[in-house]
Amino acid sequence: MKRIISFLMGRGRPLAVLLLGAVALTVFALTTDLATHLGHPWQATLGVGIGLMLLAIPCHWFGALERIGYLAAILLNLLGMGAAAGAYFIESGVGGTLTDLLPATVLPLLLLALLCILLAAFPDYKVPIGTLTVLIFIGLLVASVVFWCIRGGDFYAFSFFSHIVTLFFAIVCGVTADEEERLLLRDASLGSFGLFSIIAVVALIALLLVGGGDGCDCDCSGECCDCGDGCNCGDGSRKGKRKLK
């Protein structure tokens, strides 16, 4: 066991990042699903997310004494991110079930795995490998936004969130690979606060877009149709929400 830990903290450090990233995506998806289906208003859910992030601050400080504090800070920020993403799914009403969320994590996780394996095998080529991977991540982020706006649904929304998470761990991998003097958990813990902020801001922007529309696009033909709570009826008496499509 000591030999495995020594390897993961040395030459195999990118593989430790991959393991951490895989666990993070799983916790993120589970928490998003839970937050979406607890039945609380999105404002309360987002508030819980912010509260969890605030609780992570003393845990990060404690990590300087005991490394478990860094793990606790990462976990709390992941839970907060799930609550923030769940707030979007609550308001948009597009689902957010685990069976739809987990498939959205496959592509970003595979890309992170490829990066980590390459950096573990070829640490001397860290810069070109890392640069190319980041460019691919950025391209996939743009594609996720485009499909999220055009097609809507929970898959593309969570795909965008997942690419942000894995891009973060890709950066951590690039920074810590072949840098044994750096403490991986400290870097991941500190960065998780920025990651929470990005996810929360993106979710809030999406919430504003969801809540700021002027009705659905269906043809009600003068009568109220079954388009959900936000349908414009024929008499123009009801205004609704515009979902990202």
Side-chain angles (χ1 to χ4, degrees):
M1 178 61 70
K2 290 183 178 179
R3 188 173 299 179
I4 294 175
I5 295 176
S6 178
F7 171 74
L8 290 175
M9 292 299 101
R11 179 69 181 270
R13 180 176 289 232
L15 300 181
V17 176
L18 173 60
L19 177 61
L20 193 58
V23 172
L25 273 180
T26 302
V27 172
F28 182 36
L30 287 169
T31 309
T32 302
D33 173 68
L34 179 63
T36 304
H37 296 97
L38 279 179
H40 299 309
W42 71 263
Q43 296 92 337
T45 304
L46 184 59
V48 168
I50 295 173
L52 290 169
M53 182 273 293
L54 294 176
L55 286 175
I57 295 176
C59 291
H60 178 77
W61 290 340
F62 181 71
L65 301 175
E66 296 290 340
R67 293 184 182 180
I68 193 173
Y70 292 136
L71 286 172
I74 294 171
L75 177 60
L76 286 170
N77 276 319
L78 287 171
L79 295 176
M81 287 159 45
Y88 162 72
F89 290 117
I90 290 171
E91 179 68 1
S92 65
V94 296
T97 59
L98 192 61
T99 54
D100 293 324
L101 300 182
L102 284 179
T105 68
V106 173
L107 180 58
L109 187 57
L110 286 176
L111 185 55
L112 178 64
L114 179 61
L115 169 68
C116 293
I117 292 171
L118 287 175
L119 287 182
F122 309 104
D124 295 337
Y125 297 93
K126 180 171 71 172
V127 174
I129 292 174
T131 302
L132 179 60
T133 304
V134 168
L135 291 175
I136 294 174
F137 265 117
I138 293 174
L140 290 173
L141 280 169
V142 173
S144 296
V145 171
V146 171
F147 281 107
W148 185 5
C149 293
I150 294 175
R151 304 189 63 177
D154 46 9
F155 178 88
Y156 294 108
F158 202 73
S159 174
F160 180 75
F161 291 137
S162 297
H163 277 97
I164 292 177
V165 174
T166 47
L167 176 58
F168 162 74
F169 282 100
I171 294 173
V172 170
C173 186
V175 170
T176 63
D178 203 29
E179 299 285 346
E180 296 184 22
E181 69 277 6
R182 296 187 68 94
L183 186 57
L184 172 60
L185 289 178
R186 182 185 59 208
D187 290 340
S189 176
L190 183 61
S192 66
F193 290 94
L195 183 58
F196 167 83
S197 300
I198 294 172
I199 294 294
V201 168
V202 170
L204 186 58
I205 292 173
L207 281 165
L208 293 176
L209 292 175
V210 166
D214 53 3
C216 67
D217 296 328
C218 56
D219 180 12
C220 291
S221 300
E223 297 180 358
C224 287
C225 58
D226 189 16
C227 297
D229 294 337
C231 177
N232 284 335
C233 298
D235 59 1
S237 60
R238 297 176 64 190
K239 296 276 184 174
K241 304 170 184 175
R242 178 179 56 202
K243 297 180 181 178
L244 293 176
K245 292 184 178 180

